[in-house]
Amino acid sequence: MKTLCTLLLFVMGITTAFAQEEINRPQTTAPVAGEAVAQGNWLVGASIANIGHNFKSETFELDISPRAGYFISDNAVIGAQVQLGLIVYDGGEEFRYGLTPFVRYYFPEGAAPTHRWFGEAVLGFAGSSMEDSDGDSAFSAVYGVGAGYAHFVASNVALEGMLNLIRSNANIDVSNDSSTGLSLSIGLQIYLPGSGRSF
């Protein structure tokens, strides 16, 4: 009986010790937004937009935009992004490409230690290539604006959501009409400290 009581007390003691130990949950936020958008830092990442499959028309679409930028002052970034897109459909495929320099500004108004709102403008060139199409255009202008939200999940990593309004003359149709469209993108950006800095 003494052995059973001793064993029960031992098990209860171990259980209590583990219950009081702090549980490490995954980090979902970091209070570093101010340091991340400081002059001299770098921005590297990518955005994904228009990923999906249309069952009725049997098309699959994917757009990805890797980017890099430099903070020329606190809250202001200049850089460039590569636009890559693919549409696969029954009977063919279309590949879209482009290079768009961008300017981004993180608004200090409404800022919090864990997130920032920002605005962005892009201006560059783009093109498209459709398999077996005579109406391909090598390069055309692309420009637009966007607004987004960056939520810092680690000391130098932010998840972003962005609404874009883009106008492009890159058109595979023979008519060469321009097009304007809205898109919603999500992205992952890494904020690298400049030389001699850390956050």
Side-chain angles (χ1 to χ4, degrees):
M1 185 73 174
K2 284 185 179 181
T3 307
L4 182 60
C5 287
T6 306
L7 184 60
L8 282 173
L9 286 173
F10 178 74
V11 169
M12 288 175 58
I14 295 291
T15 305
T16 304
F18 280 121
Q20 291 177 353
E21 184 178 316
E22 185 176 323
I23 297 172
N24 292 330
R25 294 191 171 103
Q27 183 173 342
T28 58
T29 189
V32 294
E35 295 90 9
V37 296
Q39 181 177 1
N41 291 346
W42 292 88
L43 173 71
V44 179
S47 296
I48 298 174
N50 299 330
I51 184 170
H53 178 78
N54 186 320
F55 292 104
K56 188 170 183 178
S57 62
E58 290 295 323
T59 59
F60 172 78
E61 185 172 353
L62 172 66
D63 292 327
I64 185 167
S65 300
R67 66 172 55 216
Y70 179 75
F71 283 86
I72 57 172
S73 69
D74 289 353
N75 303 313
V77 181
I78 60 169
Q81 67 182 5
V82 176
Q83 294 182 338
L84 301 171
L86 176 68
I87 299 177
V88 179
Y89 55 92
D90 187 21
E93 62 186 35
E94 175 192 349
F95 179 67
R96 295 187 304 255
Y97 49 86
L99 179 65
T100 53
F102 69 89
V103 176
R104 178 183 283 193
Y105 183 74
Y106 292 85
F107 298 104
E109 301 82 19
T114 58
H115 67 263
R116 284 290 178 100
W117 293 95
F118 62 86
E120 185 174 290
V122 298
L123 174 64
F125 65 88
S128 63
S129 174
M130 180 179 274
E131 197 172 274
D132 300 326
S133 172
D134 294 330
D136 291 349
S137 175
F139 296 109
S140 297
V142 59
Y143 53 93
V145 294
Y149 172 81
H151 178 76
F152 286 84
V153 295
S155 61
N156 63 339
V157 178
L159 292 175
E160 294 182 353
M162 195 168 168
L163 181 63
N164 304 290
L165 176 64
I166 302 292
R167 182 167 178 83
S168 175
N169 294 323
N171 190 3
I172 58 172
D173 296 332
V174 178
S175 62
N176 288 329
D177 293 333
S178 60
S179 63
T180 303
L182 279 172
S183 68
L184 184 63
S185 63
I186 58 171
L188 180 70
Q189 306 298 331
I190 300 172
Y191 297 78
L192 302 174
S195 59
R197 307 184 74 166
S198 64
F199 42 83

